[in-house]
Amino acid sequence: MANILGYRGQRSATRAPWAVATSVLFLQGWSTAALSAEPAELEEVVVTGIRAGLRSSLEVKRESIQVVDAISAEDIGDFPDKNLGEALQRITGVQISRQDGEGRGVSIRGAEPGLNRVEINGVTALSVTVAGGRDVDFRDLPVEFVSRLEVFKSSTPEMTEGGIGGTVRVITRRPLDSTEPYLAGSTQMVYSDLAKEYDPKFAIIGSRTFLNNTLGVLGAATYEERHLNSHNARTTGWLRRAPAPTGLGATPGRGTDVNGDGTLDWIPEIPRYSLERRETKRPAFLGIVEWAPSDTMKVFAEGSYAKAREQVSSMLMQLSAASGLIDYENSVVGPDNTVTHLEVIPHPDFQTDLAYRNIGGSLEREQYTTAFGGEWNLGSFKLDGRVTYASAEVQNDEKNSVATIFGVPRAIVDYNNSEGAPNFTFPGIDTTTADAVNNLTAVFNPRTNSQEETSAQFNVEYLPESNWLTSIKTGVEVRELTMDSILFQRTIQLTSRTGIRSSGSTLSIAVPQSVIQDIINSNSGVNDIRFFETGDLGFGGIRYWNDNGDPTYDATIAASGLGNIDPHAFNPNTETNNSFQNYLDTWEVEEKTNAAYVQGSFKFDGLAIPISGTLGVRYVDTDTLSSGYNRIKHGPGDVEFPRASRDGGYSKWLPSLNLRFDLRDDLVGRMTAGKVLARPNPSQLAFRRSLDNVGLSGSRGNPALKPYEALQYDLGLEWYFSRDGFLSATAFRKEISEFVINTSVTEEADDGTGTVRRYTVAFPINGGDDVTINGIEAGAQYAFDFLPQPFNGFGALANVTYQKDEGFKGPNIITGEILPFPGLSRLSYNYSLYFENERFGARASYNWREKWLASASGRGGLPEFNEDFGSLDASLNYNILPQFTVFLEAINVLNDQRIEHNTALRRIANETYGSRYFLGVRARL
């Protein structure tokens, strides 16, 4: 419930107390504007539900000096979306990335997730990305803890640096927010129509004050289980290949001029089907204690914990289509020199392999945040300080169980279908049995990525007795961040092929083919859900294949006679340091940052147009130390991995100006200018290198990288024509320098078998050109409360963002054109229609974004685009008792598919993850 000043004579809220527990608008409180101006004659009106949330968010927007948007949940435990990322996509300029259909990362004004800062009650939210990153995963942060989300698109000097797109602040409920004790909770059942599973979710939150409301304690907990499935028909890379003038590469069938017209054609490299299956359990806890012994002093201690444990049992069927010989006579070339029907046959030196690959094991993410601090009001001085600790760790105990047919007699891949997806045919092979399988591997690749940050800050604010200078504020902040990655890799291989020997991390054991096939036929099954059950591929084709899960994995290890697959065991292979550790992908990056700032706030009420604002500068000094391993080969079998390190650092001045113009009581103008920075991913800074022997490609880090920098500007206008209605538009510009881009060079390296091969290795550098993003955001909100009942319960929300980049120099190696800025959709929009009365509520919301560049240099150095994507969500609420609300919600109602491509005629992914349905009840006591 919120107390909002409203206009005399307008309708006051008369909702019964049980209406407090209801929320039907997916965005209780989403806004891109602020409250309308206060009139001369006012009264206090108590509002609840949707209107309370909307007005709360509008108030945050209007009262802020900065460009900020907010999403609020006025009712305890009733945040408008089931996932924080999915909630944030409703804000102008914000777009999200998904995994298995869940909102995962957030892009702001074209800046990809790793270039934005996220805070939980002021504490840094760290990354749990496998292999290292700075992007924050929103899937594990419970929405039930959250009171408000704020997205700051302009900065002030007091804000911790780190986002060139913006800063997302996750603000939880606090015990001294209300003196009334409460206990609220919810229980719900989640159904996925692709996984065909029902999963539970529970949440509880309670708060109470003591000692005459000076001491407050809040506790909250959630637990959920989730079957997360997605199916994907992929083509991992398209390639063109000229025949070699001599040697094996001159063998007929290797060149890709399929129709003999003198032009090399594009053929698929590794077409594959994948069923991603993850059984996830997510517990989370929040605890806050606040003590305010007087009006001038408050201290607090708080902590949050979130964990997700995923049991992975994904299965793939993949073909090395480019490794065999092309049957030119039976293959067909379509438009844009793209092969639409490919037939490949084996050769003793160029064998096509078909692999039934299972990815299993577990993946565990853990996140902690803690903070201790206080604030003191000493009349004209205000002091505040805090000490924080944050940690994030992801343990990926990946297991692979792979059954492979080396030397497929004939493989056919056809793309003549409505979705441009690979349609397989393998004459004479039953994909649900061990037919022709002659190789079986068990792989264990445990990787640990961890991040830890400690910080301390202290601020002093002086409130002078001045008619225009309202505040002078200064402060210091110290942070230490450590990010590391440790990778082990071990493979046990059973093979009936001749001439296969152990090397690197692989121990090979020769066995009869019958042993391999008996293991599969005795232990493997097939997928229990038909491939692409909820989507459309435009054809029938193969929908079932071998499911080589844990029983097959364990039987492979047992048949090897090695006893186990311990990655810490002795490695007998040469040039490994007798270890299964991947030294070249084991690293650590340390950052130590000292920052200080000064800012002044001012307000000129006597001008014809009242102006208020903040002006100041932040100074940042960062030292970095990157540590890892080098590989030095002294001769055959004589390899060492010495540790190496390299330090770096930089100092930056970050000035900023934020102005607000009160043009009329109902009209607000804004203008901002400032400089911001964002640091590169730790894996980009690290001493690391990884090589792919299949595609002869690789990547490595660059410890000398500098941070991204950006000059940014905003010019906005906001019109609040009623308590619940607004129109707003903001033009913005970002000039990004020191842009980190990937470049590629050819490097020679040992492939692990003693053979030196030439790899195309990508590594990051700071580009010399500026990238400019110009855009405009517009939003509108309207409540139809002027209509007669029951139509006065309707309302609508809409916003749109258009942005365009200039200066990005990444070339499209297919067309020669300049690529767009990665992660930027030129056009995105969302709109919603809702209805609410005292008993019933409903809403429908559609979100859409235009095509965007996912990777400037993907497989084979080719650009990878996500095609246009939109999804529809809906919900129904019904209040059955004063304190109880029943709700039904649906995500991705239309079963929209996500599609990726290199070009429009060469798709590389067709993903479906189906719809999700939530049925539950909320209560507050």
Side-chain angles (χ1 to χ4, degrees), residues 193-196 229-233 273-277 315 317 423 432 526-545 547 897 912-914:
D193 69 346
L194 180 56
K196 299 189 183 304
N229 285 26
S230 64
H231 294 183
N232 205 329
Y273 295 163
S274 68
L275 290 91
E276 302 291 335
R277 302 179 300 198
M315 52 183 289
M317 180 177 67
N423 184 4
T432 65
V526 298
N527 44 300
D528 56 352
I529 296 177
R530 181 176 179 266
F531 178 62
F532 239 76
E533 175 73 10
T534 61
D536 179 21
L537 287 177
F539 58 85
I542 297 173
R543 298 301 176 99
Y544 296 91
W545 63 89
D547 186 356
Q897 295 176 204
T912 179
Y913 46 80

Side-chain angles (χ1 to χ4, degrees), residues 480-492:
E480 293 189 10
L481 174 63
T482 301
M483 303 165 284
D484 59 47
S485 178
I486 303 174
L487 174 64
F488 287 82
Q489 295 177 305
R490 183 175 180 181
T491 299
I492 293 176

Side-chain angles (χ1 to χ4, degrees), residues 388-709:
T388 72
Y389 171 79
S391 73
E393 180 176 286
V394 54
Q395 177 66 46
N396 185 21
D397 289 334
E398 179 187 319
K399 301 191 301 185
N400 280 229
S401 180
V402 188
T404 308
I405 303 170
F406 284 94
V408 177
R410 178 177 290 270
I412 302 170
V413 191
D414 188 86
Y415 289 87
N416 290 301
N417 54 75
S418 60
E419 300 302 315
N423 184 4
F424 292 116
T425 304
F426 306 112
I429 295 177
D430 183 352
T431 60
T432 65
T433 70
D435 282 356
V437 174
N438 53 15
N439 201 88
L440 187 59
T441 60
V443 180
F444 188 33
N445 296 336
R447 182 196 288 270
T448 303
N449 288 96
S450 61
Q451 300 186 3
E452 287 188 336
E453 182 185 89
T454 57
S455 75
Q457 58 178 282
F458 182 73
N459 306 293
V460 178
E461 184 177 16
Y462 172 59
L463 306 176
E465 295 183 1
S466 170
N467 59 4
W468 66 273
L469 184 60
T470 60
S471 166
I472 299 174
K473 192 172 184 179
T474 186
V476 295
E477 184 177 12
V478 178
R479 299 194 312 278
E480 293 189 10
L481 174 63
T482 301
M483 303 165 284
D484 59 47
S485 178
I486 303 174
L487 174 64
F488 287 82
Q489 295 177 305
R490 183 175 180 181
T491 299
I492 293 176
Q493 177 175 244
L494 305 181
T495 185
S496 62
R497 299 177 294 151
T498 59
I500 306 301
R501 62 185 182 89
S502 299
S503 64
S505 62
T506 301
L507 303 179
S508 294
I509 295 93
V511 297
Q513 187 175 20
S514 60
V515 172
I516 296 172
Q517 294 182 339
D518 285 346
I519 291 175
I520 297 171
N521 289 330
S522 300
N523 296 280
S524 299
V526 298
N527 44 300
D528 56 352
I529 296 177
R530 181 176 179 266
F531 178 62
F532 239 76
E533 175 73 10
T534 61
D536 179 21
L537 287 177
F539 58 85
I542 297 173
R543 298 301 176 99
Y544 296 91
W545 63 89
N546 281 317
D547 186 356
N548 303 310
D550 286 345
T552 305
Y553 183 86
D554 295 337
T556 302
I557 297 171
S560 72
L562 296 174
N564 59 57
I565 195 169
D566 181 6
H568 303 286
F570 178 85
N571 186 349
N573 294 334
T574 61
E575 302 186 356
T576 63
N577 201 31
N578 299 126
S579 173
F580 291 103
Q581 183 173 354
N582 185 326
Y583 288 99
L584 298 184
D585 209 355
T586 297
W587 47 265
E588 180 179 270
V589 176
E590 299 178 20
E591 290 180 350
K592 296 183 178 181
T593 299
N594 296 318
Y597 74 91
V598 61
Q599 68 180 43
S601 298
F602 50 87
K603 188 172 184 180
F604 297 98
D605 287 329
L607 300 178
I609 298 178
I611 300 175
S612 56
T614 298
L615 172 67
V617 64
R618 184 179 184 89
Y619 176 75
V620 177
D621 180 75
T622 299
D623 293 323
T624 63
L625 178 65
S626 298
S627 304
Y629 293 88
N630 281 326
R631 184 178 190 272
I632 300 176
K633 185 171 183 177
H634 302 288
D638 185 8
V639 174
E640 65 172 328
F641 297 90
R643 283 191 62 86
S645 63
R646 181 173 176 179
D647 57 11
Y650 45 86
S651 299
K652 304 292 181 182
W653 292 92
L654 306 175
S656 64
L657 170 67
N658 290 265
L659 295 175
R660 185 179 71 193
F661 303 88
D662 294 318
L663 303 173
R664 290 191 325 227
D665 287 345
D666 61 350
L667 194 64
V668 176
R670 299 186 187 275
M671 185 172 66
T672 78
K675 186 176 183 180
V676 292
L677 65 78
R679 297 176 173 88
N681 277 341
S683 59
Q684 295 176 314
L685 291 166
F687 260 109
R688 54 166 291 273
R689 186 181 71 179
S690 60
L691 299 175
D692 176 10
N693 286 333
V694 176
L696 294 181
S697 60
S699 64
R700 60 178 172 85
N702 179 4
L705 283 178
K706 302 296 183 183
Y708 296 77
E709 297 179 30

Side-chain angles (χ1 to χ4, degrees), residues 766-788:
N766 289 105
D769 299 305
D770 290 355
V771 176
T772 300
I773 299 176
N774 292 304
I776 187 168
E777 303 170 345
Q781 176 177 298
Y782 194 68
F784 300 99
D785 54 4
F786 62 91
L787 296 174

